[in-house]
Amino acid sequence: MEQFIHGTLTLFGSGTTISIFFLGLIGGMLFGAIPGVNMLTLGAVLLPFTASMSAENAIMLFSVIYCAGVFGGAITAILFNIPGAPENAPTCLDGYPMTLNGQAGKAIGAAVSCSAIGGTASALVMMLATGVVASFAVRTFGPPEIFALIVFGLTVSVSIGAKTLWKGWLSVLAGLMIAAVGTDPIGGVPRFANGSILGMEYHSYYLTAGIHFIPLILGFFAVSEVLGQAIAIAKGERQRPKASLEFPTIAEFIALRWTIVRSVFIGLFSGILPGIGATLAAFLGYSQAKQWSKHPENFGKGELEGVVAPETANNAATGAAMIPLLALGLPGGALTAMIMGIFQIHGMEPGPLIFITSGDLVWVTFAAMFWANLLIIGLGWLQTKTVVHILKVPFRWLAPGILVLAIVGSYALRNLFVDVWIMFAAGVVGYLLRSTGYSAAGVVLGVILGSIGESAFAKSMQLMDYRIVEFFERPVSALLLIASVGMFIVSVVSEWRNGQVKKVVPG
Amino acid sequence: MIQTPRAAGGSRQSNQYLRCFLEWAFWAVLVGVFYQQTTYFDKDIANYAFGATGWPRVVAITAFLVATFQLVMQIHALRMGLAIEGGQGRAESISAAQWAHRVAIFMWPFVFLFVTPTVGAYVSIPIFIVGFLLLLGVRKPIPLALVLVIVYGLLLAVFTRFFYVALPLGEETFFYDVNVAIVEFVRLGR
């Protein structure tokens, strides 16, 4: 407590530190909320400037951007069906239908509040138990456990956004196939970069680097949404969503308390594991909310719980992701990797000793993340009141702006125009996926987890000397794999009984 | 010829069978091509017995099995007289002009992609914006101009002036010069 108060006083004790704190907070929220750019764009732009800052300020800035950016991405997910970052993809599934139902204010209000709750809870855990949790996670979670967790995550999240279980699996498998393009994670062999189809040879340096998920996400969500809306306008069927400022009530939050608590735990658990992070947390949070809900049939149609669960879980993962970074020097995602870079720029090495050698830095970061999450409530509600009014602008005026932002966002990633091609192709495919009952979110999940899963599997095989049975001799991986098999059987039986088929209505 | 309700029902069901088989065939072809392409990098990797092809092939085979299982489930559902999810797409009668309009909405971004490397992004983006607005039915000059100015202005101010995202400048000399002139004006004011 004493250290936290000291960290808070250091944070708010100097004008420079306060300015940097608010720059990160407002910048993260804005960049998260602009389609086509995200917190990583802001991080990449600011990274060179951190060399001239003190290490405390630089790390604090990026930690605050991380918290605020994960929340900011929910706004575009809810208003336009365009997730600001992969971890906001499940938020689209119910957030956007809520906007179409004239409940945008309620959805964003819930996202704001739950992001703050999830983020604050994880900041508290980070402060109280970084050392213990990090050593537990590393001792318990080796490659076999991470592979088992990914299998579990895919099994429980597979039907998100799909009309049937099989379409969900096929969507995820399509994502895994896309993730296999590029260099193989063990031997560095280029895959699908050279070959021949129907006698036509191809050779692509681009494919050697793999297909990046950012153009895919922009295509599957932003471009396909714009195309879908454009077709609806052409058909004369589009209805403009109502811009409402009706926020969720306290009673609604109380009714969702168990969803929030469950999602906080899911977020903490997923965030701690390097490489898994907020994306799987959001998908798991959503799928578990649907599974435990009294009205699972309402999911995908504008259910408040479907916004609350992923937004709580993905923000709960932010603080948790700092635990392995600070305690062990293991970054869990792109932004935490940038933070790792800042440590290196300043000649520091994160690890257990950092709590002794740089206690001030650690506690300023903890305090900044805690206060950033609390301030998200106030600033987020203010942002909601202004951003919701964008819905009053006719979509046909907004559409070119969304596409131009998406074009720039996908191009700026690697300065490759082929990424823009990939984005538009994914847009058309995303449109077809939606109209045939497949899940764009499932494909994205497969792409993101595919390479992590393959790498974890390969390392496990080397570690276990190719004895697959050893997955079941390790308690955590055995538990996760058995739970996955159980979930799979339950979902197949449930699909057989009442999910996939409906009685034809005569006439 | 007037179609009886029974004939119409039979035709609808055979359409559903056809749809299921086409869906399966799509996956089979996709997986087949994917699997066949793995032969081009079928190399051994030191210290890893499954090589570079192990994982993609398992994924491909699993996808084929799931697609086949989906087909079996759909056929079972149809035989039981049940409707399959997403299988009741209603036929729409639309004119040739409406078709052309919808095709143009999908094709316009690809026209942009095709011409941009030649004419440069700073020339093609304003044309893309106006073209898309026209496709969306915006005809009044004031909204057309306003949206163009705001979107293009923000692009130049934020992404060229502030972040300097180096968008393609074009391959043709004339367009290259125009693009460079725009970038210089925005960044250097000359």
Side-chain angles (χ1 to χ4, degrees), chain A residues 31 42 100 104 117 192 216 226 257 275-276 288 303 305 332 366 381 385 403 407 421-422 437 466 469 478 481 504-505:
Chain A
F31 270 69
L42 180 62
L100 296 179
I117 293 169
F192 301 102
L216 287 177
V226 170
R257 62 193 179 281
I276 306 291
Q288 288 306 298
E303 179 71 31
E305 213 173 345
F366 286 175
W381 282 56
K385 290 206 171 207
L403 287 182
I407 289 166
W421 275 93
I422 295 280
Y466 302 95
V469 74
L481 288 176
V504 180
V505 180

Side-chain angles (χ1 to χ4, degrees), chain A residues 387-410:
Chain A
V387 162
V388 164
H389 293 289
I390 292 175
L391 291 174
K392 290 180 181 165
V393 180
F395 186 80
R396 57 184 81 199
W397 295 8
L398 289 174
I402 294 172
L403 287 182
V404 168
L405 278 172
I407 289 166
V408 176
S410 57

